[in-house]
Amino acid sequence: MIKLFLGNKTYVLLLIPVFLVCYQMLNYYFEFIELVPAQHFGLWVVNIELNSIVGVFLASMVVLLNSFGLNLLVNRNNFYERNTYLVALIYVVFMSLLECSYFLNSTLLLHSTIIFMLHQLFELNKREDGRKNIFNAFMFFAIGVTLCPIYLFLLPMLLLSVTVIRQLSFKESLMAFSGFSIPFIYYLAISYIGDSEWDFPLFYSNFEITQKDFWFVTISIITFLVLSLFSVVFKMRQAKIQTNKQIRSLIILTLFFFLLSLYQLISFQQIDHFSLLIIPMSVLLIFAFLSDTYGIAANVLFYVVMVYSVIKFFLFLPT
């Protein structure tokens, strides 16, 4: 399976929707994940009731598009010697371990904004005039903040990621501020027109119930995160300067996402923000699969996670 996705065969992406349908069908029959119809979309919508079928379908579509977006990011920026489609599989399999992938919610949409932001950052690495990319990157970041306000604390993450790639000029700094401001201007305008109260709920979570396989999911993500970071150290010695900058920006994202996830874990015993780590990990983990040192461990452990992502539905049958 892994070799199939490591190859240069585009048709393997047709298997990704099959994985998503299987996960959703298994969850429908065995009710491993309790669906939460009442969702909170940051500053935009509070406690909206979504139809179960619509919420499940939209969640799968967003996960699918996010996986394709990450894969496109990798192939377009020549991270590896040839095109690979393993990134999409890694993202989907690890997301299946988390509650947030089974019903549409703000965390999934936050993933989308981060992936769009990464596309802009990596394009910035290729251009002399980066005003457009800077504007777009900060705008997508701000959209993410409106969906998940606690994400605001990660603004230094974006600034550091940009600085790793290049120093901002004065004009680019103005574009960054303009891009960051636009989503909040729209929010304030809509709130004013609708005569609604302005609210900024930093610590709201859609998932109030501790996940059944809490420790397995947490340990799995941390293990693969460490594995990917170790393999990246060796890759950076051989990679081009442009690729090294991109890898360093992903490492910065990983560090800040981990701190945010750790805060949520310690404070609320929740792990939905651990899903953010899956974004940079899905990209960096490819180096582990291609490594002579870590390749066998990465393959074996990933197959364990793949198997568990299916059998978990049978292990925790409702009583």
Side-chain angles (χ1 to χ4, degrees), residues 52-284:
S52 295
I53 296 176
V54 173
V56 167
F57 174 76
L58 291 177
S60 295
M61 286 300 298
V62 174
V63 172
L64 178 66
L65 294 175
N66 286 347
S67 68
F68 287 173
L70 264 180
N71 220 116
L72 179 64
L73 177 77
V74 168
N75 291 338
R76 178 179 286 178
N77 290 278
N78 302 315
F79 260 65
Y80 315 111
E81 297 175 358
R82 62 183 186 276
N83 285 350
T84 179
Y85 302 99
L86 186 58
V87 175
L89 178 64
I90 293 171
Y91 180 81
V92 167
V93 170
F94 274 97
M95 284 299 291
S96 72
L97 301 178
L98 295 158
E99 295 179 24
C100 61
S101 67
Y102 291 89
F103 200 86
L104 184 67
N105 57 83
S106 59
T107 303
L108 279 183
L109 298 178
L110 176 60
H111 279 224
S112 302
T113 64
I114 293 171
I115 293 169
F116 279 121
M117 183 188 77
L118 283 173
H119 274 277
Q120 296 303 316
L121 287 179
F122 286 5
E123 283 296 315
L124 177 65
N125 197 21
K126 304 174 185 177
R127 300 182 180 183
E128 291 185 11
D129 185 0
R131 286 175 293 179
K132 175 182 175 182
N133 300 113
I134 289 291
F135 177 89
N136 290 336
F138 277 83
M139 183 182 68
F140 284 124
F141 178 87
I143 293 172
V145 173
T146 64
L147 290 167
C148 185
I150 195 174
Y151 190 50
L152 177 64
F153 291 119
L154 299 186
L155 180 58
M157 170 198 73
L158 177 56
L159 295 172
L160 283 174
S161 297
V162 172
T163 304
V164 161
I165 294 174
R166 62 194 284 175
Q167 292 293 327
L168 287 179
S169 66
F170 178 71
K171 289 182 179 179
E172 289 173 340
S173 299
L174 290 178
M175 295 305 292
F177 178 77
S178 300
F180 185 81
S181 302
I182 283 179
F184 295 102
I185 292 172
Y186 272 97
Y187 166 68
L188 293 174
I190 292 171
S191 298
Y192 178 77
I193 293 171
D195 197 26
S196 57
E197 294 183 3
W198 298 344
D199 191 16
F200 204 77
L202 283 174
F203 304 107
Y204 185 88
S205 174
N206 281 317
F207 308 101
E208 301 299 335
I209 302 172
T210 302
Q211 193 158 318
K212 298 172 185 177
D213 51 353
F214 176 88
W215 287 110
F216 179 87
V217 175
T218 304
I219 293 171
S220 296
I221 292 176
I222 292 176
T223 300
F224 275 93
L225 192 62
V226 172
L227 189 63
S228 64
L229 292 175
F230 272 117
S231 61
V232 160
V233 171
F234 291 96
K235 178 63 179 179
M236 291 181 70
R237 298 173 184 173
Q238 307 168 351
K240 299 177 182 178
I241 296 175
Q242 187 179 37
T243 305
N244 270 333
K245 290 180 179 179
Q246 294 168 340
I247 291 174
R248 285 200 293 269
S249 66
L250 288 172
I251 291 174
I252 290 171
L253 260 66
T254 302
L255 174 61
F256 277 87
F257 288 161
F258 180 76
L259 292 175
L260 178 63
S261 304
L262 190 63
Y263 166 77
Q264 187 197 33
L265 177 64
I266 294 172
S267 301
F268 307 107
Q269 289 74 55
Q270 298 293 316
I271 56 174
D272 52 297
H273 280 313
F274 263 94
S275 66
L276 297 177
L277 288 167
I278 296 174
I279 298 173
M281 187 184 76
S282 297
V283 178
L284 299 176

